[in-house]
Amino acid sequence: MDVILPDSLHIEVVQLDMPKYELYLSESEDFIIFKPVIKYQDNIGLILPLTTYSIYQSEDTSFKRYDILQGDAESFTDFLEVAHDDFRTANRQYGQYFLHINTLMDNMWFFEFFDQCRQRNITIFG
């Protein structure tokens, strides 16, 4: 089935660039949840992992399609999954990143992780 769009409909495609990486930490019982977010211009914020690399926004007869570079999300998730073995398992099984609170301090892991985030310009909140 073909869809015929009215001539008055305008779709603007915006390539999102200059990502800002943020990591939000929260506590849930004996676990710390790590919520990775990528922020772009136009107040676009995306929580990882992503299921799509385009976002659509509409206003009256105009539409915007924001395209995200796949590498922006992949580099962030790759960094997290390499940072701790439990992150990869948690993300694959539950779709989020978390660690037991006792695991954070094993071998000073959190301090090293925090420093690695700082070196990669990842801002940590929480």
Side-chain angles (χ1 to χ4, degrees), residues 71-98:
D72 291 349
E74 286 178 353
S75 66
F76 199 1
T77 56
D78 288 349
F79 165 71
L80 290 173
E81 291 186 3
V82 169
H84 199 286
D85 293 336
D86 291 349
F87 277 156
R88 174 169 283 145
T89 304
N91 185 40
R92 300 262 162 86
Q93 289 181 355
Y94 304 104
Q96 61 181 356
Y97 300 97
F98 60 88

Side-chain angles (χ1 to χ4, degrees), residues 84 99-111:
H84 199 286
L99 291 174
H100 191 274
I101 201 159
N102 294 336
T103 306
L104 290 176
M105 300 315 283
D106 286 350
N107 298 315
M108 306 289 281
W109 178 84
F110 185 74
F111 294 112

Side-chain angles (χ1 to χ4, degrees), residues 4-66:
I4 300 172
L5 300 174
D7 293 336
S8 61
L9 182 66
H10 173 68
I11 299 176
E12 178 184 356
V13 178
V14 178
Q15 178 66 54
L16 294 174
D17 58 1
M18 297 177 41
K20 294 179 182 175
Y21 300 100
E22 298 178 349
L23 192 58
Y24 292 82
L25 279 56
S26 60
E27 187 177 349
S28 178
E29 297 182 20
D30 291 339
F31 293 90
I32 301 297
I33 311 287
F34 294 75
K35 183 171 76 173
V37 175
I38 302 177
K39 292 213 173 157
Y40 293 96
Q41 70 267 25
D42 292 344
N43 294 319
I44 302 291
L46 306 166
I47 300 171
L48 301 179
L50 296 178
T51 56
T52 183
Y53 292 96
S54 293
I55 299 171
Y56 297 89
Q57 186 179 60
S58 66
E59 294 177 11
D60 297 324
T61 59
S62 68
F63 287 88
K64 279 188 180 181
R65 185 183 82 207
Y66 294 95

